[in-house]
Amino acid sequence: MILTELLTDLAAGINALIRSAASQLQLTAPQAFHLLSIPIDGIPMSQLAHKFGLDPSTLTRNIQKLEKMDLVERKAGNYDKRLQIVLLTRDGARLLQSLEEILTEQNHYLLEQLNLEDQQNILDDLEKLTWSIECIREK
């Protein structure tokens, strides 16, 4: 298989795992991806939109749905009031913890299929691959 096919298969597999974990918590896969991408101290809407390659209006609709579920809130930035920061609510943080527990269990199973050397190599290689993808996206 060529790299594009492998990456496509990897992305499809990861999406399926996250979709399965999300459905256990009555979330959609995009909602799960959004929650997984919001750090404890929040993230600017513009940065989140860039991370997902979404138009700002699409991201706004997605975040509004999460706000209605009381999982996130938006606040103005400290220095620039035009900046909208997305933060997890208490309920959002609890749900995120549950989601991460399910995904951690899946990750343990995935890594058990590899020997210790391969486990370390795959983590290092995925980190490098993620960095390379970000470099391409920043062009």
Side-chain angles (χ1 to χ4, degrees):
M1 275 190 180
I2 61 171
L3 181 61
T4 302
E5 291 174 29
L6 287 170
L7 290 175
T8 300
D9 288 348
L10 179 63
I14 290 168
N15 275 314
L17 291 175
I18 290 178
R19 187 174 309 282
S20 171
S23 70
Q24 292 178 48
L25 300 170
Q26 287 73 51
L27 293 171
T28 64
Q31 289 169 338
F33 276 112
H34 288 352
L35 292 174
L36 288 164
S37 298
I38 300 172
I40 296 295
D41 57 346
I43 185 169
M45 289 277 288
S46 57
Q47 189 177 340
L48 195 56
H50 174 74
K51 182 172 188 159
F52 290 116
L54 292 175
D55 181 82
S57 63
T58 301
L59 178 65
T60 298
R61 284 191 301 275
N62 294 348
I63 294 300
Q64 286 171 340
K65 290 176 186 176
L66 291 171
E67 284 176 319
K68 287 179 183 174
M69 298 167 72
D70 195 34
L71 299 176
V72 301
E73 62 184 349
R74 284 183 284 175
K75 293 189 176 181
N78 291 334
Y79 303 107
D80 184 350
K81 300 299 180 194
R82 297 171 296 172
L83 192 66
Q84 289 287 302
I85 308 293
V86 182
L87 299 154
L88 294 170
T89 62
R90 198 169 283 170
D91 287 345
R94 274 192 229 112
L95 190 63
L96 175 60
Q97 182 177 356
S98 297
L99 180 60
E100 287 175 337
E101 287 170 4
I102 294 167
L103 293 172
T104 297
E105 187 176 316
Q106 290 176 348
N107 290 341
H108 286 305
Y109 179 76
L110 289 172
L111 289 175
E112 284 176 357
Q113 310 308 306
L114 305 172
N115 66 43
L116 290 175
E117 183 180 341
D118 287 343
Q119 286 180 26
Q120 186 56 52
N121 289 340
I122 200 164
L123 295 174
D124 292 342
D125 291 343
L126 286 172
E127 187 175 320
K128 291 173 190 173
L129 187 58
T130 301
W131 178 81
S132 294
I133 290 169
E134 282 306 309
C135 288
I136 291 170
R137 292 188 65 215
E138 294 301 318
K139 282 185 173 183

mmCIF file of all heavy atoms in Angstrom, residues 1 6-7 24 29 31 33 37 44 54 58 63 75 78 84 87 95 99 106 111 115 120 127 131:
data_model
loop_
_atom_site.group_PDB
_atom_site.id
_atom_site.type_symbol
_atom_site.label_atom_id
_atom_site.label_comp_id
_atom_site.label_asym_id
_atom_site.label_seq_id
_atom_site.Cartn_x
_atom_site.Cartn_y
_atom_site.Cartn_z
ATOM 1 N N MET A 1 0.844 -1.200 0.000
ATOM 2 C CA MET A 1 0.000 0.000 0.000
ATOM 3 C C MET A 1 0.876 1.246 0.000
ATOM 4 O O MET A 1 1.925 1.261 0.618
ATOM 5 C CB MET A 1 -0.858 0.041 1.261
ATOM 6 C CG MET A 1 -2.123 -0.711 1.181
ATOM 7 S SD MET A 1 -3.140 -0.309 2.638
ATOM 8 C CE MET A 1 -4.502 -1.316 2.256
ATOM 9 N N LEU A 6 -2.546 4.090 3.240
ATOM 10 C CA LEU A 6 -2.365 3.768 4.658
ATOM 11 C C LEU A 6 -2.932 4.868 5.551
ATOM 12 O O LEU A 6 -3.595 4.588 6.557
ATOM 13 C CB LEU A 6 -0.881 3.551 4.969
ATOM 14 C CG LEU A 6 -0.271 2.258 4.442
ATOM 15 C CD1 LEU A 6 1.244 2.280 4.599
ATOM 16 C CD2 LEU A 6 -0.869 1.060 5.149
ATOM 17 N N LEU A 7 -2.671 6.114 5.188
ATOM 18 C CA LEU A 7 -3.198 7.227 5.981
ATOM 19 C C LEU A 7 -4.723 7.279 5.928
ATOM 20 O O LEU A 7 -5.375 7.564 6.935
ATOM 21 C CB LEU A 7 -2.593 8.554 5.517
ATOM 22 C CG LEU A 7 -1.114 8.755 5.829
ATOM 23 C CD1 LEU A 7 -0.607 10.051 5.208
ATOM 24 C CD2 LEU A 7 -0.853 8.733 7.321
ATOM 25 N N GLN A 24 -21.373 5.745 22.724
ATOM 26 C CA GLN A 24 -21.598 5.230 24.077
ATOM 27 C C GLN A 24 -21.999 6.350 25.037
ATOM 28 O O GLN A 24 -22.621 6.092 26.066
ATOM 29 C CB GLN A 24 -20.340 4.537 24.609
ATOM 30 C CG GLN A 24 -19.994 3.258 23.880
ATOM 31 C CD GLN A 24 -18.721 2.644 24.407
ATOM 32 O OE1 GLN A 24 -18.543 2.510 25.612
ATOM 33 N NE2 GLN A 24 -17.828 2.264 23.507
ATOM 34 N N ALA A 29 -19.638 11.895 16.439
ATOM 35 C CA ALA A 29 -18.178 11.907 16.297
ATOM 36 C C ALA A 29 -17.629 13.336 16.249
ATOM 37 O O ALA A 29 -16.651 13.631 16.939
ATOM 38 C CB ALA A 29 -17.752 11.109 15.071
ATOM 39 N N GLN A 31 -18.822 16.004 17.628
ATOM 40 C CA GLN A 31 -18.897 16.545 18.986
ATOM 41 C C GLN A 31 -17.756 15.988 19.835
ATOM 42 O O GLN A 31 -17.126 16.723 20.595
ATOM 43 C CB GLN A 31 -20.247 16.217 19.626
ATOM 44 C CG GLN A 31 -21.398 16.990 19.024
ATOM 45 C CD GLN A 31 -22.761 16.477 19.465
ATOM 46 O OE1 GLN A 31 -22.916 15.329 19.891
ATOM 47 N NE2 GLN A 31 -23.766 17.334 19.351
ATOM 48 N N PHE A 33 -14.822 14.876 18.726
ATOM 49 C CA PHE A 33 -13.578 15.492 18.258
ATOM 50 C C PHE A 33 -13.422 16.900 18.835
ATOM 51 O O PHE A 33 -12.331 17.288 19.253
ATOM 52 C CB PHE A 33 -13.533 15.564 16.719
ATOM 53 C CG PHE A 33 -13.066 14.309 16.065
ATOM 54 C CD1 PHE A 33 -13.946 13.546 15.300
ATOM 55 C CD2 PHE A 33 -11.757 13.877 16.180
ATOM 56 C CE1 PHE A 33 -13.522 12.386 14.676
ATOM 57 C CE2 PHE A 33 -11.317 12.714 15.557
ATOM 58 C CZ PHE A 33 -12.206 11.965 14.799
ATOM 59 N N SER A 37 -10.515 18.297 21.618
ATOM 60 C CA SER A 37 -9.577 19.327 21.158
ATOM 61 C C SER A 37 -9.595 20.599 21.998
ATOM 62 O O SER A 37 -8.869 21.545 21.683
ATOM 63 C CB SER A 37 -9.883 19.682 19.698
ATOM 64 O OG SER A 37 -9.689 18.540 18.899
ATOM 65 N N PRO A 44 -9.060 29.486 21.427
ATOM 66 C CA PRO A 44 -9.771 30.460 20.591
ATOM 67 C C PRO A 44 -10.540 29.761 19.470
ATOM 68 O O PRO A 44 -10.074 28.757 18.912
ATOM 69 C CB PRO A 44 -8.649 31.328 20.019
ATOM 70 C CG PRO A 44 -7.490 31.136 20.941
ATOM 71 C CD PRO A 44 -7.619 29.737 21.458
ATOM 72 N N LEU A 54 -12.188 23.900 9.330
ATOM 73 C CA LEU A 54 -13.598 24.284 9.177
ATOM 74 C C LEU A 54 -13.742 25.771 8.938
ATOM 75 O O LEU A 54 -12.964 26.577 9.442
ATOM 76 C CB LEU A 54 -14.383 23.941 10.446
ATOM 77 C CG LEU A 54 -14.578 22.468 10.781
ATOM 78 C CD1 LEU A 54 -15.271 22.330 12.129
ATOM 79 C CD2 LEU A 54 -15.377 21.782 9.696
ATOM 80 N N THR A 58 -19.289 27.294 10.266
ATOM 81 C CA THR A 58 -19.584 25.887 10.553
ATOM 82 C C THR A 58 -19.190 25.547 11.981
ATOM 83 O O THR A 58 -19.953 24.904 12.709
ATOM 84 C CB THR A 58 -18.838 24.967 9.561
ATOM 85 O OG1 THR A 58 -19.240 25.299 8.239
ATOM 86 C CG2 THR A 58 -19.123 23.500 9.850
ATOM 87 N N ILE A 63 -20.316 24.527 17.832
ATOM 88 C CA ILE A 63 -20.111 24.951 19.221
ATOM 89 C C ILE A 63 -21.441 25.340 19.861
ATOM 90 O O ILE A 63 -21.679 25.043 21.043
ATOM 91 C CB ILE A 63 -19.081 26.106 19.296
ATOM 92 C CG1 ILE A 63 -17.695 25.611 18.864
ATOM 93 C CG2 ILE A 63 -19.027 26.723 20.683
ATOM 94 C CD1 ILE A 63 -17.118 24.472 19.696
ATOM 95 N N LYS A 75 -16.270 32.607 25.999
ATOM 96 C CA LYS A 75 -15.988 33.846 26.724
ATOM 97 C C LYS A 75 -15.087 34.719 25.863
ATOM 98 O O LYS A 75 -14.327 34.212 25.039
ATOM 99 C CB LYS A 75 -15.299 33.552 28.059
ATOM 100 C CG LYS A 75 -16.196 32.826 29.034
ATOM 101 C CD LYS A 75 -15.565 32.741 30.390
ATOM 102 C CE LYS A 75 -16.566 32.092 31.343
ATOM 103 N NZ LYS A 75 -16.059 31.975 32.681
ATOM 104 N N ASN A 78 -9.136 37.792 27.237
ATOM 105 C CA ASN A 78 -8.726 38.731 28.281
ATOM 106 C C ASN A 78 -8.231 40.051 27.722
ATOM 107 O O ASN A 78 -8.549 41.110 28.257
ATOM 108 C CB ASN A 78 -7.628 38.111 29.164
ATOM 109 C CG ASN A 78 -8.164 36.979 30.016
ATOM 110 O OD1 ASN A 78 -9.339 36.936 30.338
ATOM 111 N ND2 ASN A 78 -7.287 36.057 30.370
ATOM 112 N N GLN A 84 -13.011 35.013 20.781
ATOM 113 C CA GLN A 84 -13.925 34.110 21.486
ATOM 114 C C GLN A 84 -13.156 32.854 21.906
ATOM 115 O O GLN A 84 -12.602 32.159 21.064
ATOM 116 C CB GLN A 84 -15.099 33.717 20.580
ATOM 117 C CG GLN A 84 -16.068 34.843 20.317
ATOM 118 C CD GLN A 84 -16.907 35.139 21.550
ATOM 119 O OE1 GLN A 84 -17.594 34.270 22.059
ATOM 120 N NE2 GLN A 84 -16.824 36.357 22.033
ATOM 121 N N LEU A 87 -14.452 27.116 26.184
ATOM 122 C CA LEU A 87 -14.051 26.429 27.409
ATOM 123 C C LEU A 87 -15.016 25.289 27.701
ATOM 124 O O LEU A 87 -16.206 25.392 27.392
ATOM 125 C CB LEU A 87 -14.076 27.401 28.597
ATOM 126 C CG LEU A 87 -13.147 28.596 28.511
ATOM 127 C CD1 LEU A 87 -13.676 29.741 29.345
ATOM 128 C CD2 LEU A 87 -11.768 28.191 28.972
ATOM 129 N N LEU A 95 -17.783 14.686 30.960
ATOM 130 C CA LEU A 95 -18.042 13.867 29.779
ATOM 131 C C LEU A 95 -16.741 13.582 29.023
ATOM 132 O O LEU A 95 -16.513 12.465 28.560
ATOM 133 C CB LEU A 95 -19.055 14.562 28.866
ATOM 134 C CG LEU A 95 -19.606 13.725 27.726
ATOM 135 C CD1 LEU A 95 -20.388 12.529 28.255
ATOM 136 C CD2 LEU A 95 -20.489 14.566 26.836
ATOM 137 N N LEU A 99 -15.077 10.016 27.997
ATOM 138 C CA LEU A 99 -14.663 9.742 26.618
ATOM 139 C C LEU A 99 -13.199 9.318 26.587
ATOM 140 O O LEU A 99 -12.839 8.331 25.921
ATOM 141 C CB LEU A 99 -14.888 10.978 25.751
ATOM 142 C CG LEU A 99 -14.515 10.890 24.284
ATOM 143 C CD1 LEU A 99 -15.296 9.792 23.580
ATOM 144 C CD2 LEU A 99 -14.750 12.243 23.606
ATOM 145 N N GLN A 106 -9.294 1.559 24.579
ATOM 146 C CA GLN A 106 -9.077 1.137 23.197
ATOM 147 C C GLN A 106 -7.589 1.209 22.834
ATOM 148 O O GLN A 106 -7.060 0.315 22.177
ATOM 149 C CB GLN A 106 -9.883 2.005 22.228
ATOM 150 C CG GLN A 106 -11.369 1.791 22.295
ATOM 151 C CD GLN A 106 -12.130 2.744 21.380
ATOM 152 O OE1 GLN A 106 -11.579 3.706 20.863
ATOM 153 N NE2 GLN A 106 -13.404 2.464 21.188
ATOM 154 N N LEU A 111 -2.199 -1.103 21.511
ATOM 155 C CA LEU A 111 -0.774 -1.234 21.783
ATOM 156 C C LEU A 111 -0.390 -2.642 22.229
ATOM 157 O O LEU A 111 0.737 -3.076 21.997
ATOM 158 C CB LEU A 111 -0.330 -0.196 22.825
ATOM 159 C CG LEU A 111 -0.312 1.246 22.324
ATOM 160 C CD1 LEU A 111 0.026 2.201 23.455
ATOM 161 C CD2 LEU A 111 0.649 1.428 21.161
ATOM 162 N N ASN A 115 4.848 -5.354 20.026
ATOM 163 C CA ASN A 115 5.874 -5.569 21.043
ATOM 164 C C ASN A 115 6.343 -4.211 21.575
ATOM 165 O O ASN A 115 6.021 -3.162 21.008
ATOM 166 C CB ASN A 115 7.037 -6.420 20.496
ATOM 167 C CG ASN A 115 7.814 -5.714 19.400
ATOM 168 O OD1 ASN A 115 8.126 -4.530 19.484
ATOM 169 N ND2 ASN A 115 8.139 -6.461 18.350
ATOM 170 N N GLN A 120 7.005 1.880 21.209
ATOM 171 C CA GLN A 120 7.738 3.146 21.322
ATOM 172 C C GLN A 120 7.969 3.762 19.954
ATOM 173 O O GLN A 120 7.813 4.963 19.765
ATOM 174 C CB GLN A 120 9.068 2.946 22.047
ATOM 175 C CG GLN A 120 9.794 4.252 22.320
ATOM 176 C CD GLN A 120 8.950 5.248 23.100
ATOM 177 O OE1 GLN A 120 8.396 4.939 24.136
ATOM 178 N NE2 GLN A 120 8.840 6.470 22.587
ATOM 179 N N GLU A 127 4.194 11.009 16.292
ATOM 180 C CA GLU A 127 4.511 12.388 16.674
ATOM 181 C C GLU A 127 5.168 13.125 15.504
ATOM 182 O O GLU A 127 4.808 14.259 15.182
ATOM 183 C CB GLU A 127 5.437 12.387 17.890
ATOM 184 C CG GLU A 127 5.677 13.766 18.466
ATOM 185 C CD GLU A 127 6.502 13.718 19.737
ATOM 186 O OE1 GLU A 127 6.289 12.820 20.566
ATOM 187 O OE2 GLU A 127 7.367 14.600 19.890
ATOM 188 N N TRP A 131 3.570 16.255 13.256
ATOM 189 C CA TRP A 131 4.328 17.483 13.036
ATOM 190 C C TRP A 131 4.430 17.786 11.540
ATOM 191 O O TRP A 131 4.235 18.925 11.108
ATOM 192 C CB TRP A 131 5.718 17.361 13.666
ATOM 193 C CG TRP A 131 6.569 18.556 13.446
ATOM 194 C CD1 TRP A 131 6.543 19.735 14.142
ATOM 195 C CD2 TRP A 131 7.573 18.714 12.432
ATOM 196 N NE1 TRP A 131 7.476 20.607 13.621
ATOM 197 C CE2 TRP A 131 8.114 20.005 12.580
ATOM 198 C CE3 TRP A 131 8.055 17.884 11.429
ATOM 199 C CZ2 TRP A 131 9.129 20.481 11.751
ATOM 200 C CZ3 TRP A 131 9.065 18.363 10.607
ATOM 201 C CH2 TRP A 131 9.586 19.648 10.771
#
